[in-house]
Each structure stands twice: as structure tokens, then as C-alpha cells.
């Protein structure tokens, strides 16, 4: 399994990778520090999951997710599950994320169980 | 618009409750420990902490609510907090320490944003920034209103840090 973690914080990328391992997933981690960088990797990598932040310098997570979905539609590529992990958590923001093509939004700090449940839902299988 | 909201929240004690709850919901689980509020203090802009991270919080409209959530302290205390997240102690104010403090402030701001929404303003979060070595600070204009708390983190070194939420002139 290949997972792209998109976050401008190196510490958060490290924590998400650790949470993946703790949830029992043997994943190859690919990292990006912002949306532009991520879009390049989405083009070239065969990915099973995107984990992304909302607020990042340059292209933010919402724009990145929207662009990924538009490209999937335009090219007929397989729809990759997108998990957003962000500090933003009001109802309006959750709705904006859903409209941008985010499959699941978790609010920081994320409990281990919530992370594991989200992975199971998105990947459709146990660890 | 800022001041009436902040004054109302402060007048009935909700402002301190809001910030304390944001600490409990945001920082405590992230650090895997509990925090204790030691004291409320005046805004420290005349003599800022050695280092601090700031996250702007603003409504989309030009005349809307604007505020800043911040976490600061001595580098040694901030390094103790960062060590709980990184698994090793960063040195000085290196990038790893800055990253940790920015991210903690971001989480704190998110929890304050959520509570603020329940009393009115629908705000968005700006990108966190880190400052160190400032002799004075002007946050959100010359006049600010808000709250600053000194808190102790329940880590082995019992680090003490400052947290706050302020608004500038609207």
C-alpha cells in the first residue's frame, strides 16, 4: 500500500506515519509539504490513500483535493480515498471539505481509534 | 465587532473557560498529559516571551472578527514540550522546535475557533508563524483585548508556557 501524506509540518507527517503503523498498515509513505508538490506525486505514483492537511503555504489541502478529483474525472483514473486531518472543524468547514471531494475529515488531535476507524472505512478492509 | 464579543466573554468568565477548554481538548491529548492553569496574566507584548508561535483567526468579511491565538515561553520549556511530541529534545530554536510549537498553536486555535463559532463569528485559520527574540510586539494593531494564561504541562520537567487569545482593532 502506498500512502501520500501531505502536510507542511514534518512533525505531523511523522505522527501520521506512526499512526498508520500503529493501526497495523504496512504502508510505503510518500511525503509532500504542500498541494502543488502533492499533485505532482499523484500524477506519478500509484497511491492507495491521501492524508492531507487543510492549511498549508502555497496550495492548500482543499484546492489540492478538488484538483485531484477534477483530474480523476477528466482522465477516468481510479478514485483515491482522501482523509483530511485538520484543526478546522466547524460544520461549514466540514461541508466545504465534503464538497471538495474529501472522503473523511478528522479534527486534530486525532485519537488512535478514530484514525484506525477512518482507515478501515476508507480502505474497506481490516489492517 | 471584536471588542463587544471579547468583553462579553470576559465579563462572565467564558473567555478563560473557552481557552482552558481548548487546552484540555487540544493540547492535553496531543501531549498525552494534563495541564494546570497557574495564573492569568496581562498580555505580555511589552516584554514578550523568548519565543512564540501565532495563528491568525479572521472572519472573511473586511469588517469582521480578527484575532490571534498564541503559545510562547522560554526555549528550554518549549523544548521540553516539543520532546514529548518528537521523542527527542530539539536544541535551541531549531526547525523541529518551531514546527512543534506552530502545530500546537494551530491545534489550540482550531479548538478556540470551534467554540467561537458557537457564540457568533465564523472564522478561518491563517498559517502559523514562529517568532523568537522579539523585544516588543504589536499584535493586531495598537490596541488589543484578550487573555493570557501561564500554564504548567504535566511532563517530567513540568515546563511552564504561556498561551493566549487576543483580538486587534476591527
Amino acid at each position: 500500500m502506498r500512502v501520500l501524506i501531505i502536510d507542511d509540518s514534518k512533525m505531523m507527517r511523522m505522527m501520521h506515519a506512526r499512526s498508520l503503523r500503529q493501526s497495523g498498515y504496512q504502508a510505503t509513505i510518500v511525503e509532500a509539504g504542500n498541494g502543488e508538490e502533492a499533485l505532482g506525486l499523484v500524477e506519478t505514483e500509484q497511491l492507495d490513500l491521501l492524508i492531507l492537511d487543510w492549511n498549508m503555504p502555497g496550495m492548500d489541502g482543499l484546492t489540492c483535493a478538488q484538483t485531484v478529483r477534477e483530474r480523476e474525472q477528466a482522465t477516468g483514473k481510479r478514485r483515491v480515498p482522501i482523509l483530511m486531518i485538520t484543526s478546522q472543524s466547524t460544520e461549514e468547514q466540514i461541508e466545504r471539505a465534503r464538497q471538495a471531494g474529501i472522503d473523511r475529515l478528522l479534527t486534530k488531535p486525532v485519537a488512535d481509534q478514530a484514525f484506525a476507524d477512518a482507515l478501515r472505512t476508507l480502505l474497506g478492509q481490516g489492517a | 465587532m471584536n471588542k463587544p464579543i471579547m468583553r462579553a466573554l470576559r465579563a462572565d468568565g467564558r473567555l478563560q473557560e473557552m481557552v482552558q477548554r481548548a487546552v484540555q481538548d487540544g493540547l492535553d491529548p496531543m501531549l498525552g498529559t494534563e495541564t494546570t492553569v497557574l495564573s492569568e496574566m496581562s498580555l505580555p507584548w511589552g516584554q514578550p516571551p523568548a519565543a512564540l508561535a501565532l495563528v491568525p483567526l479572521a472572519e472573511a468579511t473586511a469588517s469582521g472578527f480578527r484575532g490571534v491565538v498564541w503559545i510562547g515561553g522560554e526555549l528550554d520549556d518549549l523544548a521540553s514540550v516539543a520532546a514529548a511530541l518528537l521523542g527527542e529534545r530539539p536544541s535551541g530554536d531549531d526547525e523541529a522546535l518551531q514546527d512543534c510549537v506552530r502545530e500546537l498553536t494551530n491545534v489550540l486555535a482550531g479548538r478556540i475557533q470551534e467554540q467561537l463559532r458557537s457564540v457568533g463569528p465564523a472564522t478561518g485559520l491563517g498559517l502559523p508563524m514562529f517568532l523568537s527574540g522579539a523585544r516588543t510586539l504589536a499584535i493586531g494593531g495598537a490596541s488589543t483585548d484578550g487573555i493570557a494564561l501561564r500554564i504548567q504541562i504535566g511532563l517530567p520537567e513540568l515546563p511552564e508556557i504561556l498561551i493566549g487569545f487576543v483580538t486587534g482593532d476591527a
Side-chain angles (χ1 to χ4, degrees):
Chain A
M1 182 168 76
R2 292 179 80 78
V3 178
L4 174 58
I5 300 178
I6 310 151
D7 199 307
D8 57 316
S9 164
K10 187 178 174 184
M11 180 192 80
M12 289 312 301
R13 296 198 302 268
M14 183 189 79
M15 289 177 80
H16 296 336
R18 188 168 59 199
S19 296
L20 267 167
R21 284 195 301 275
Q22 284 174 349
S23 300
Y25 289 89
Q26 302 296 318
T28 300
I29 306 294
V30 186
E31 297 187 15
N34 61 43
E36 288 101 341
E37 198 184 333
L39 288 178
L41 291 164
V42 170
E43 290 295 309
T44 57
E45 300 274 344
Q46 290 294 318
L47 298 164
D48 300 290
L49 175 68
L50 304 189
I51 298 177
L52 86 167
D53 189 16
W54 184 319
N55 274 15
M56 293 181 284
M59 183 187 286
D60 65 25
L62 219 57
T63 310
C64 178
Q66 260 172 337
T67 309
V68 168
R69 294 302 183 223
E70 286 165 7
R71 289 183 182 177
E72 284 171 346
Q73 281 203 326
T75 60
K77 272 181 78 173
R78 182 175 60 93
R79 192 181 197 279
V80 181
I82 302 180
L83 168 62
M84 176 168 267
I85 299 181
T86 175
S87 297
Q88 319 244 33
S89 62
T90 64
E91 284 180 19
E92 296 98 324
Q93 289 161 336
I94 292 169
E95 178 56 22
R96 282 180 66 199
R98 193 189 63 75
Q99 288 180 3
I102 307 291
D103 295 300
R104 192 76 187 265
L105 184 146
L106 296 176
T107 304
K108 296 175 192 171
V110 180
D112 292 342
Q113 191 58 53
F115 188 88
D117 289 347
L119 290 184
R120 259 193 298 279
T121 303
L122 293 174
L123 299 170
Q125 61 189 32
Chain B
M1 183 180 178
N2 290 354
K3 287 186 179 295
I5 290 174
M6 292 298 265
R7 282 183 189 144
L9 291 173
R10 180 184 278 285
D12 60 12
R14 279 183 296 163
L15 187 59
Q16 179 157 351
E17 279 175 24
M18 181 185 279
V19 174
Q20 280 187 246
R21 190 174 156 197
V23 170
Q24 286 164 1
D25 293 349
L27 302 193
D28 288 6
M30 206 159 172
L31 294 169
T33 185
E34 290 189 357
T35 51
T36 307
V37 174
L38 299 176
S39 60
E40 184 175 347
M41 50 188 288
S42 56
L43 297 174
W45 304 145
Q47 195 173 0
L52 77 164
L54 312 161
V55 173
L57 222 149
E59 270 187 303
T61 56
S63 59
F65 186 93
R66 288 185 296 125
V68 174
V69 176
W70 56 274
I71 291 179
E74 296 300 319
L75 285 172
D76 200 42
D77 288 314
L78 294 173
S80 296
V81 175
L85 295 168
L86 296 169
E88 60 183 354
R89 192 179 180 86
S91 59
D93 64 347
D94 71 9
E95 178 51 35
L97 181 135
Q98 295 185 22
D99 187 11
C100 283
V101 182
R102 280 195 303 261
E103 199 51 46
L104 284 170
T105 311
N106 193 33
V107 169
L108 184 69
R111 301 285 60 74
I112 288 176
Q113 175 196 44
E114 188 180 26
Q115 294 181 71
L116 203 55
R117 182 69 188 103
S118 68
V119 296
T123 56
L125 298 183
L127 291 170
M129 60 193 94
F130 185 90
L131 300 169
S132 63
R135 291 186 178 178
T136 59
L137 283 172
I139 303 294
S143 173
T144 58
D145 193 8
I147 189 168
L149 300 176
R150 176 180 294 280
I151 63 172
Q152 186 176 65
I153 314 284
L155 295 167
E157 300 91 343
L158 295 175
E160 292 179 14
I161 62 172
L162 309 178
I163 62 170
F165 174 36
V166 296
T167 59
D169 290 327

